[in-house]
Amino acid sequence: MKALITGASSGIGRDIARYLSEKKGYNLVIVARRVELLEGLKKELNTNVEIVNLDISLRENCIKLFEEHKDIDLLVNNAGFGLFGHFYDVDLEKELSMIDTNILAVHVLTKLYLQEMRKKNSGYILNVASIAGFMSGPLMATYYATKNYVVALSRAVNKELKKEKSKVKVSVLCPGPVKTNFNNVAGVKFGLSSLSSEYVAKYAVDKMLAGKEVIVPGFTIKALKCINKILPSNLMLEGTYHMQKHKN
């Protein structure tokens, strides 16, 4: 069995790679831009590991990745990042790069690998989103919007597969704060306590392999997701604003 993981150089992606290799016996294709971190990860693992040094925010690179590594049983779309600030202040080029990484790459790779998996009638796709994917997020407006896209796309595609009784499964991981480098890149500090990336990785893989569609690790974040369903949208939006403001 072989898994391909984007954003595998650190955080959740790195720990998913470790868990799939060490506990599940998967051979891996690990993808990121920081090749030295990929090389360090490869040295840790006992299964076969192929390193791909690639910027998947570029559409042509996503297509190249698929064409060179078509035979994949499990795809993890983990690469992504966030930006903090008022929508009118956030640098446009950084924002567009985030959209390309968080949306375009997930869309292209999900579509291409899903087409291949349907031919075999087997396979798993795990798209890494966030609890932000169920909300609007003032002060991180574009990031929240990208994760809404990932949640909506993943759930819709999985419903299509269920309707045709396909054995291919699409899951979406929606964690809250996790101890990764995300905070430094986004320029935020979380008020809520953070889960370890090792815990989230194990939880996500186990739930995905069990066929869970929406994966939400941690009691606090599960509760927040439930509250989001109950509270009026304007009140939730106000609460999200204050939560985001305290991250700065």
Side-chain angles (χ1 to χ4, degrees):
M1 297 181 293
K2 183 182 286 188
L4 187 150
I5 306 161
T6 68
S9 59
S10 64
I12 295 172
R14 174 200 60 200
D15 289 319
I16 286 177
R18 286 171 173 161
Y19 188 65
L20 285 173
S21 174
E22 294 169 359
K23 302 301 182 182
K24 301 297 182 181
Y26 275 78
N27 296 319
L28 303 177
V29 178
I30 52 176
V31 185
R33 289 183 291 182
R34 294 180 291 178
V35 68
E36 69 283 357
L37 295 180
L38 296 179
E39 289 170 348
L41 177 60
K42 180 177 180 178
K43 290 176 183 177
E44 294 180 26
L45 305 176
N46 293 323
T47 56
N48 183 61
V49 178
E50 300 174 67
I51 289 174
V52 180
N53 179 215
L54 205 63
D55 178 2
I56 63 165
S57 69
L58 302 175
R59 182 182 316 182
E60 58 270 26
N61 284 351
C62 292
I63 295 169
K64 176 184 176 183
L65 178 62
F66 169 74
E67 289 177 343
E68 293 181 355
H69 299 278
K70 284 187 179 181
D71 189 19
I72 295 297
D73 302 292
L74 195 163
L75 168 67
V76 180
N77 279 313
N78 172 71
F81 66 96
L83 294 170
F84 180 88
H86 289 92
F87 179 75
Y88 50 79
D89 279 337
V90 175
D91 181 81
L92 179 60
E93 288 305 314
K94 290 181 180 178
E95 202 171 29
L96 292 176
S97 177
M98 180 174 62
I99 290 170
D100 288 341
T101 304
N102 294 9
I103 292 181
L104 184 144
V106 172
H107 186 107
V108 172
L109 292 174
T110 296
K111 179 179 285 287
L112 294 178
Y113 279 104
L114 179 60
Q115 290 171 343
E116 200 68 18
M117 289 175 179
R118 284 187 70 253
K119 294 175 187 176
K120 300 181 291 184
N121 195 29
S122 68
Y124 295 90
I125 297 174
L126 176 65
N127 291 330
V128 178
S130 165
I131 194 63
F134 299 100
M135 308 172 189
S136 297
L139 302 179
M140 291 186 76
T142 305
Y143 171 75
Y144 272 59
T146 65
K147 294 307 182 180
N148 272 261
Y149 183 95
V150 174
V151 170
L153 178 74
S154 302
R155 299 192 70 189
V157 172
N158 197 51
K159 175 60 74 174
E160 292 175 0
L161 294 168
K162 284 182 178 179
K163 287 295 185 181
E164 64 182 29
K165 294 180 168 52
S166 172
K167 293 182 180 179
V168 182
K169 306 293 182 184
V170 176
S171 300
V172 59
L173 172 61
C174 301
V178 181
K179 295 173 185 174
T180 68
N181 195 45
F182 175 92
N183 304 19
N184 295 329
V185 174
V188 297
K189 296 182 291 184
F190 287 113
L192 296 173
S193 60
S194 299
L195 297 172
S196 72
S197 59
E198 294 89 351
Y199 171 82
V200 172
K202 179 182 184 302
Y203 187 90
V205 170
D206 289 346
K207 292 295 184 181
M208 172 193 61
L209 294 177
K212 182 76 170 173
E213 179 179 279
V214 178
I215 302 168
V216 182
F219 174 79
T220 302
I221 301 306
K222 283 186 175 72
L224 182 59
K225 182 174 179 287
C226 292
I227 291 169
N228 183 55
K229 289 182 179 179
I230 298 168
L231 285 181
S233 59
N234 283 342
L235 188 58
M236 195 66 197
L237 195 60
E238 185 70 22
T240 305
Y241 172 81
H242 286 288
M243 182 175 67
Q244 294 298 120
K245 190 175 181 180
H246 284 97
K247 289 180 181 179
N248 191 13

